[in-house]
Amino acid sequence: MKRRVAREKSLQALYQIDIAKSGAEEAMESVLDGAPTDEYFKKLVMGITENREQLDGMIRDNLENWTLERLANIDRNLLRIAIYEMVHSEDVPVSVAMNEAIEIAKKFGDDQSSSFVNAVLSKVKVKSDS
């Protein structure tokens, strides 16, 4: 599985976890639909689930006039994926994590999602650079 596909499948699993209150393992199995698991996909879903409080705190710290709970589920989970990669994946450059999230937002989000995701991630990047 290519990393882009792993990110998209992770987004779908995280969506299920949020909406259907599924467990991580159950959500991953559902998304894979019988296909073999992928290590990067599993790393993302499990890592985001385990570090959710930290990731959500970083999102909250970089929102203006929004609350985490008001964010669209797709946008919130894309931010979690990108910030997880930015902070916890040494083999993924920050610019790649940001670009991937923006491109996936164009595919799965609404008309404003890519701009919104870009704005929040740019703030996260600036803070992590300093």
Side-chain angles (χ1 to χ4, degrees):
M1 180 182 297
K2 293 187 182 214
R3 286 200 171 179
R4 167 72 61 93
V5 174
R7 289 179 183 99
E8 290 175 358
K9 294 286 186 191
S10 297
L11 177 63
Q12 294 168 343
L14 293 168
Y15 186 90
Q16 276 193 18
I17 291 167
D18 277 359
I19 298 299
K21 305 296 183 213
S22 301
E25 294 288 339
E26 180 186 356
M28 288 189 295
E29 282 179 33
S30 173
V31 167
L32 289 173
D33 195 31
T37 192
D38 175 82
E39 282 308 309
Y40 197 70
F41 164 69
K42 187 174 182 177
K43 175 184 173 181
L44 286 175
V45 175
M46 298 309 291
I48 291 162
T49 303
E50 292 165 7
N51 293 283
R52 187 170 171 166
E53 284 185 37
Q54 175 203 24
L55 301 171
D56 287 355
M58 292 177 76
I59 295 169
R60 278 188 187 94
D61 291 347
N62 290 284
L63 294 175
E64 287 182 25
N65 304 319
W66 284 90
T67 63
L68 183 70
E69 296 72 28
R70 272 188 58 208
L71 297 182
N73 195 293
I74 296 292
D75 297 349
R76 183 174 49 247
N77 283 305
L78 274 173
L79 290 169
R80 287 173 177 154
I81 292 167
I83 294 170
Y84 177 80
E85 286 186 309
M86 292 165 74
V87 173
H88 296 281
S89 293
E90 294 177 12
D91 64 331
V92 178
V94 169
S95 59
V96 171
M98 291 176 65
N99 188 55
E100 286 289 300
I102 293 163
E103 291 304 313
I104 294 170
K106 290 176 185 175
K107 182 174 179 180
F108 289 96
D110 64 24
D111 293 343
Q112 306 298 314
S113 290
S114 60
S115 303
F116 178 77
V117 167
N118 184 30
V120 175
L121 293 178
S122 293
K123 288 181 182 181
V124 171
K125 181 184 181 303
V126 167
K127 286 184 180 176
S128 66
D129 286 348
S130 39

